[in-house]
Amino acid sequence: MEQGSPAKRARMANANVDSVSNMMVPGKEGKPVTKNAYEGRCVGVFTSGGDSQGMNAALRAVVRMGIYLGNKVYFIKEGYQGMVDGGDNIEEATWAKVSGIMQLGGTVIGSARCKDFRQHEGRLTAAQNLIERNITNLVVIGGDGSLTGANLFRKEWSDLLEELVKMERITRQNATDCQHLNIVGMVGSIDNDFCGTDMTIGTDSALHRIIEAVDAISTTAQSHQRAFVLEVMGRHCGYLALVGAMACGASHVFIPEHPPDDGWEDKLCDVLSKERKLGQRLNIIIVAEGAVDIHGQPITATNVKMLITERLQYDTRVTVLGHVQRGGSPSAFDRILGTRMGAEAVLALMEATPETPACVVSLDGNQAVRVPLMACVERTQNVAKAMDEKNFAKAVQLRGKSFVNNLETYKQLAKLKPPKSVSDANGLHCKEEFRLAVMNVGAPACGMNSAVRAFVRMGMMHGYPVVKILEGFEGLVDNQVKPISWMEVHDWVSKGGSLIGTKRTTAKEAGIEKVAKALKNNRISALLIIGGFEAYHSLVQLSEQRAMYPELCIPMCIIPATISNNVPGTHFSLGSDTSLNEIVDICDRIKQSATGTKRRVFVIETMGGYCGYLATLAGLAGGADTAHIFEEPFTIHDIESDVEHMKNKMSGGVKRGLILRNEYANDNYTTDFITQLYNEEGKGLFTCRKNVLGHMQQGGVPSPFDRNMATKLASKAVDKLIRQIHENTKGGQVRTDSPETITLLGVIRRQAVFTPVQDLAKETDFKHRIWNKQWWMVLRPLMRIMAHHESVYEAQGIQLPSEDLGGEDWLV
C-alpha cells in the first residue's frame, strides 16, 4: 500500500474522490503566460455580501495580473449596487491604486447588499453600465449568494442585450461586441462554508481573531477560576467554532451540524465539575451563533451561562466576539490565498469561451484550481437542506472529510481522561505494555507542544503508556525519560517553544550505540520525533544502523517542525506558518514606520538557512519588490535591475520599497552589501535601511494553522505506530527492519503521507539541508509580477502534480 513516491502514497490513501473534486481543473501556476497576451479586454472586479480579510489582496492581484496581461481593469464599487448605479461607482483601476492595501482588512471598494439587482430592471441597468465600458469579464468576490447572482446574470446576458437594443439603450454593434459575459468567482467568507474549496478567503484570519481572544481570556479566567462562554460567528456552519475549539483546547463546543443529544445540560455540567476537581482553573465553552439541540432549538451563549451559573454556581461570563472576527489585518495565509486566487481568476477569465461554465477559483491542498461554480453552490445548499431536515449526520458528511476528521479528533482530545478500561489519568497503569515515547529535536518551533499533547492523549486513549524524552537525544542517552500524564498536557496546545526541551544534537552526535542502549533500557517500543532537519537526519542515521543495533528495529516516525520548512517529504512543517505571520506583521510595522517620511527602502533578512520558503512567502504576503534566495541564483546584474526598478517606482510617487533576503542566499551579496548598494544608487531619491529579524521569528504563540496541523498529524502518527507495533510483535518483542517502519509524516498537497526516510534521503541536499523538490518555487514569478517587474509568469522551479490526490484537507 505504501510503495512509491509521496504523491503516489497520497493518491492511494483514498481513491474515492467526491464529485466536486472530480471536476477540478488545475490552474496556471507555474505555466508560461505571455505579457500583454490578452491586450484590449476589459475586466470588472467587485466584492459583494459580507466582507472578509484578504479581499484586498485578491483585488490587488486581479488588477495587477489584468494589467500584466494587457487588460483594462475596472473597480465596481459597493458590489452589485455599484453595478446598477453606474457612474463613478465603476472606476478604472491603476497599478498605484492598489498599492498598500494588502495589509488592510475589509474591502477598499466597498460591499453592499443590493435589492435592485434581484429585480429584472436592476440587472438590465447593470448590463447597460457594463456594456458602456466594454466590460464582458467579471470577477466576483463573495459568498454563495453573490456567486449565484452572477451566474444568473450570465445566463440572462443575451436576453438582456436584446432587450437593451430594442429599447435603444445600446446599439446593435454594442451588443455584438459584448455578446458573451464571462464570470469567475472567488469565495470571500470567514465561515468557510462553501463546498469546493479547502479554505475561503478570510477564514484563517477569523481563526486568528478567535484564538487571540481565547488566549487573552484564558489569563483572566485562570486568575479568578471563571468559566467563559464565547459566541463565535457561524449561523449555518460550525467550522470556526469547531476548529477554534480544537486550537485552544476548549472544554466544550456547540455547532449547528452536530447538535448534542437530550440531557446535554447534565453532561456539560458534569464535565465542567470534574475538570475543576482535577485542578483545572478555567473552562472555555465555544458556541457557534447557529448552534441548536437535536430538536432544532437554539443553544445560545446566554443559555449556557445561565445553566452553569444556576447548576454549578461558577462565576461565568459571556463574550460575544461578533464582528471582531471580520476585522483586523489579514493573516499571511489569507494574503497569499487572495493573491493566488486573484491572479488565477484573471487567467481563467481570459481562457473562458462561451461554452465554458462559470467557475470558482479554489484551493485544493496548496494548488490553485478551477471548479464549476454551480456544482459547488448545489453541494453547499445541500448542507443547509440536510440541517433543515434535521439530518445532521448527512450535513457533517457533506461538509467534507476534513470537517469529519476535525470533529472526531476534537471529541477524543476533549475528554476529561482516558477510559478506566484502558488507562489511568497518570498513564502509569495501562492496558498495553508497550511504551510510546516522544521527543523534540532541533530548534524550537511553534506547534511542537500541540503535537506532544495530541500524541500523549491519543496514545493513552488506545491504552498505551507514553513517556517524554527531555532535551532530545542528549536527554535520551542520559536517561532523562519520564512518564507524562493526561492532565500535564491539557493546556499545551497554545504554548510556544518546546516544553519538554529540545537540542540540535543528532543521533550520530549523541552516539548511535548509546541511543540504542537507552531505547532498550527504557523499554521504548515506538518513537515519535517532532523536529526539524536534525530530527530527519537522525532518523536517516538510525535507519542505516538497524542491521548493527537490533534495539533500533522499532517503529519510528518524525513530524517535521521547523520554521525553515526545509525538511524533505512535506510541503509544510510545524512552526513555519507562525513564523511567516510574525515576519509579515513585522514587515507591516516596518513599512508603516516610513509613513510621512522621505522615500525609503527596507532590506529585511529572514531565517531559513539555505531554504528560501520564508523569504518567498513573506515577500508574496508582504508585497515585497523582490526576495533573494539560495534556490534561485542571482547575479550583480539582477540586483542592478532591481535597483533600477526601485528608482522607477520611487520616481512614480511610491514612497516605500521592501527587499527580502534569505540569510544564506549568497555568500558575497550579503544583506549589508545590498543595503549599501541601494543607498549608493538611490542617492537623492531614497534611503535604505536594513533589518535582521533574528530569533523573533521563532517566538510567539502557535498560529491556528500550526496548532491544528500538529494535532491532526500527531493523531495520525499514533495510529500508525500502534498498528506497526501490532504487526511486528513476536514473543512479546517488537522487531522490524522494514523501511516502512521508520518514516516521515508529511503533508503532500492535502494528504497526510508516511514516507520512508531512506527514500527521502535520495532526494535530499544534505550539504544545504534542503529538499530537492520545493513546491513553493512556482509562486516566485507571481511575486515579481505583483511588484511590477518585467517577468514572465512561469515557474523556475518544481511544478505541483496536476492530478487530484484526494484525501483529507490537512492544511486547515
Side-chain angles (χ1 to χ4, degrees):
M1 165 125 182
E2 296 186 1
Q3 301 298 318
S5 67
K8 185 177 180 181
R9 294 168 196 281
R11 192 165 57 249
M12 294 171 66
N14 195 325
N16 297 318
V17 183
D18 63 46
S19 58
V20 173
S21 297
N22 278 330
M23 291 183 279
M24 289 180 176
V25 177
K28 297 287 287 187
E29 282 182 338
K31 298 176 183 177
V33 178
T34 307
K35 187 175 183 180
N36 295 323
Y38 301 96
E39 192 167 4
R41 297 192 187 183
C42 296
V43 176
V45 57
F46 64 98
T47 53
S48 178
D51 64 302
S52 62
Q53 308 96 320
M55 280 185 167
N56 288 325
L59 288 172
R60 173 179 176 269
V62 169
V63 171
R64 294 194 169 179
M65 179 55 80
I67 293 174
Y68 172 79
L69 295 174
N71 301 159
K72 183 179 286 189
V73 184
Y74 289 89
F75 286 142
I76 302 174
K77 299 179 180 180
E78 309 303 336
Y80 285 112
Q81 191 64 56
M83 194 185 300
V84 174
D85 294 342
D88 293 339
N89 289 300
I90 303 178
E91 174 189 339
E92 186 174 354
T94 64
W95 195 274
K97 283 181 181 177
V98 292
S99 292
I101 69 171
M102 280 190 78
Q103 68 272 24
L104 303 178
T107 165
V108 296
I109 61 173
S111 179
R113 305 191 187 278
C114 179
K115 293 182 179 179
D116 293 337
F117 193 79
R118 296 176 184 174
Q119 306 301 318
H120 179 77
E121 179 57 36
R123 294 193 292 277
L124 195 67
T125 303
Q128 179 181 346
N129 289 330
L130 295 182
I131 292 166
E132 287 174 354
R133 296 163 179 81
N134 290 319
I135 299 173
T136 56
N137 300 281
L138 286 179
V139 177
V140 188
I141 309 173
D144 62 326
S146 302
L147 299 176
T148 302
N151 190 62
L152 172 63
F153 192 40
R154 179 178 182 268
K155 286 182 176 179
E156 292 181 343
W157 185 255
S158 297
D159 293 336
L160 292 172
L161 295 192
E162 285 301 316
E163 192 172 343
L164 287 169
V165 170
K166 290 177 182 178
M167 298 171 67
E168 298 184 352
R169 292 167 64 176
I170 64 171
T171 66
R172 175 59 63 183
Q173 187 61 48
N174 292 148
T176 301
D177 293 340
C178 303
Q179 58 185 312
H180 300 296
L181 178 67
N182 300 315
I183 298 287
V184 171
M186 285 182 277
V187 188
S189 168
I190 67 169
D191 293 334
N192 202 34
D193 56 353
F194 191 80
C195 298
T197 184
D198 290 344
M199 284 283 270
T200 56
I201 297 171
T203 301
D204 187 66
S205 299
L207 282 172
H208 274 261
R209 300 295 92 81
I210 293 170
I211 297 308
E212 288 163 6
V214 173
D215 288 349
I217 285 171
S218 295
T219 57
T220 183
Q222 285 187 348
S223 300
H224 301 279
Q225 293 196 65
R226 284 176 175 154
F228 270 85
V229 184
L230 275 78
E231 181 186 288
V232 302
M233 286 186 168
R235 190 172 304 161
H236 305 292
C237 178
Y239 180 87
L240 288 179
L242 176 59
V243 177
M246 194 162 69
C248 70
S251 301
H252 202 85
V253 63
F254 294 95
I255 61 174
E257 298 91 339
H258 189 69
D261 294 326
D262 288 334
W264 63 268
E265 298 91 342
D266 295 333
K267 293 177 183 177
L268 174 62
C269 291
D270 182 58
V271 167
L272 299 182
S273 177
K274 288 179 178 177
E275 284 183 344
R276 289 291 174 93
K277 290 177 182 178
L278 289 170
Q280 194 167 314
R281 292 180 60 86
L282 79 155
N283 310 102
I284 301 291
I285 300 99
I286 297 182
V287 181
E289 61 178 331
V292 294
D293 64 18
I294 198 69
H295 305 291
Q297 295 302 308
I299 297 176
T300 67
T302 302
N303 295 153
V304 176
K305 178 201 170 182
M306 292 175 61
L307 172 69
I308 297 171
T309 303
E310 293 172 3
R311 294 267 192 103
L312 302 175
Q313 284 77 51
Y314 288 174
D315 187 2
T316 307
R317 307 296 169 90
V318 170
T319 299
V320 180
L321 295 185
H323 284 75
V324 167
Q325 296 157 88
R326 291 191 188 275
S329 184
S331 66
F333 183 95
D334 276 328
R335 298 186 196 195
I336 294 168
L337 178 63
T339 300
R340 296 174 67 186
M341 299 300 97
E344 186 61 37
V346 177
L347 292 168
L349 280 175
M350 296 302 103
E351 295 179 354
T353 67
E355 293 75 33
T356 305
C359 74
V360 176
V361 177
S362 301
L363 182 71
D364 179 44
N366 56 355
Q367 185 179 27
V369 296
R370 305 170 189 177
V371 192
L373 187 155
M374 293 314 296
C376 298
V377 169
E378 181 181 356
R379 179 162 174 176
T380 302
Q381 292 173 344
N382 285 340
V383 178
K385 182 180 178 182
M387 288 196 288
D388 289 340
E389 296 171 348
K390 296 185 175 58
N391 190 345
F392 297 109
K394 181 179 180 182
V396 169
Q397 294 297 323
L398 286 171
R399 285 286 181 215
K401 297 170 186 174
S402 176
F403 194 93
V404 174
N405 181 66
N406 287 335
L407 182 59
E408 291 305 314
T409 302
Y410 171 77
K411 286 160 64 176
Q412 292 294 319
L413 294 176
K415 292 182 183 296
L416 280 172
K417 52 188 176 181
K420 291 181 180 179
S421 60
V422 297
S423 174
D424 66 353
N426 294 319
L428 298 178
H429 301 93
C430 299
K431 181 181 72 173
E432 303 288 346
E433 59 179 327
F434 300 110
R435 301 175 90 187
L436 308 179
V438 59
M439 70 160 73
N440 295 154
V441 175
C446 286
M448 282 182 163
N449 297 319
S450 303
V452 172
R453 171 182 177 268
F455 183 78
V456 170
R457 290 199 164 185
M458 286 299 191
M460 293 175 68
M461 284 295 297
H462 286 286
Y464 286 79
V466 183
V467 295
K468 59 184 178 183
I469 301 172
L470 306 179
E471 308 298 339
F473 282 106
E474 290 185 22
L476 176 61
V477 299
D478 289 338
N479 289 314
Q480 294 295 310
V481 180
K482 302 181 182 300
I484 187 167
S485 70
W486 184 275
M487 288 305 296
E488 182 180 347
V489 299
H490 83 93
D491 63 348
W492 283 24
V493 69
S494 63
K495 306 295 184 183
S498 169
L499 294 176
I500 62 174
T502 182
K503 293 286 183 68
R504 292 179 180 270
T505 307
T506 65
K508 187 174 182 180
E509 291 167 344
I512 299 293
E513 185 175 354
K514 293 179 180 179
V515 169
K517 183 178 179 181
L519 290 173
K520 179 181 179 181
N521 291 343
N522 289 284
R523 298 182 293 107
I524 294 172
S525 300
L527 174 64
L528 174 67
I529 305 177
I530 305 163
F533 199 88
E534 295 90 352
Y536 158 69
H537 198 179
S538 294
L539 276 198
V540 173
Q541 294 166 351
L542 294 176
S543 70
E544 293 169 347
Q545 297 297 318
R546 274 178 152 185
M548 184 173 294
Y549 300 101
E551 298 87 349
L552 302 179
C553 295
I554 60 173
M556 299 184 192
C557 181
I558 171 182
I559 294 176
T562 167
I563 69 170
S564 302
N565 200 31
N566 63 331
V567 178
T570 187
H571 289 168
F572 298 96
S573 299
L574 299 183
S576 59
D577 182 70
T578 303
S579 181
L580 187 58
N581 277 285
E582 291 289 329
I583 296 170
V584 170
D585 182 55
I586 293 166
C587 287
D588 286 348
R589 282 181 276 162
I590 287 174
K591 288 190 293 184
Q592 189 180 40
S593 71
T595 302
T597 66
K598 56 186 176 181
R599 300 181 184 93
R600 181 157 290 169
V601 175
F602 295 97
V603 179
I604 297 177
E605 180 179 295
T606 67
M607 296 176 80
Y610 288 98
C611 181
Y613 175 84
L614 287 178
T616 297
L617 274 291
L620 190 60
D625 294 278
T626 192
H628 298 298
I629 63 171
F630 171 78
E631 291 93 338
E632 189 176 277
F634 57 98
T635 67
I636 189 64
H637 300 296
D638 296 317
I639 301 176
E640 288 175 350
S641 174
D642 291 336
V643 172
E644 288 303 312
H645 157 70
M646 190 65 68
K647 290 165 72 173
N648 293 333
K649 174 179 172 178
M650 294 295 185
S651 299
V654 177
K655 291 189 174 182
R656 292 183 297 277
L658 185 65
I659 308 295
L660 271 68
R661 179 186 176 275
N662 172 239
E663 59 184 337
Y664 294 156
N666 189 287
D667 290 337
N668 298 308
Y669 302 136
T670 63
T671 303
D672 285 331
F673 173 86
I674 293 173
T675 303
Q676 291 166 7
L677 180 63
Y678 273 82
N679 264 324
E680 181 63 29
E681 295 299 317
K683 279 183 178 178
L685 190 57
F686 59 81
T687 57
C688 187
R689 297 288 186 272
K690 77 167 183 176
N691 291 268
V692 179
L693 302 187
H695 284 77
M696 67 176 69
Q697 297 163 80
Q698 288 183 328
V701 297
S703 68
F705 184 100
D706 280 329
R707 298 184 194 195
N708 292 321
M709 186 167 74
T711 298
K712 291 195 282 188
L713 290 180
S715 301
K716 193 85 170 175
V718 168
D719 292 340
K720 181 75 167 183
L721 292 175
I722 289 175
R723 186 165 65 251
Q724 291 183 338
I725 287 175
H726 282 267
E727 293 171 349
N728 297 284
T729 299
K730 293 181 180 178
Q733 294 291 317
V734 180
R735 284 290 179 268
T736 173
D737 58 0
S738 168
E740 300 291 335
T741 57
I742 186 162
T743 58
L744 182 144
L745 173 55
V747 176
I748 304 296
R749 275 188 56 184
R750 67 194 309 233
Q751 184 71 32
V753 181
F754 290 92
T755 308
V757 294
Q758 290 182 2
D759 292 349
L760 292 174
K762 303 169 187 175
E763 305 170 350
T764 304
D765 179 350
F766 283 99
K767 179 181 178 181
H768 299 107
R769 296 159 56 95
I770 55 176
W771 195 17
N772 294 332
K773 298 179 178 180
Q774 305 281 35
W775 71 268
W776 46 266
M777 288 291 288
V778 300
L779 303 179
R780 287 188 60 79
L782 177 60
M783 180 190 68
R784 296 183 68 85
I785 287 172
M786 293 296 108
H788 209 166
H789 278 267
E790 295 295 326
S791 301
V792 175
Y793 192 61
E794 182 175 8
Q796 300 175 39
I798 179 177
Q799 289 188 29
L800 288 172
S802 60
E803 72 270 20
D804 186 348
L805 301 180
E808 297 175 35
D809 169 19
W810 288 88
L811 306 182
V812 183

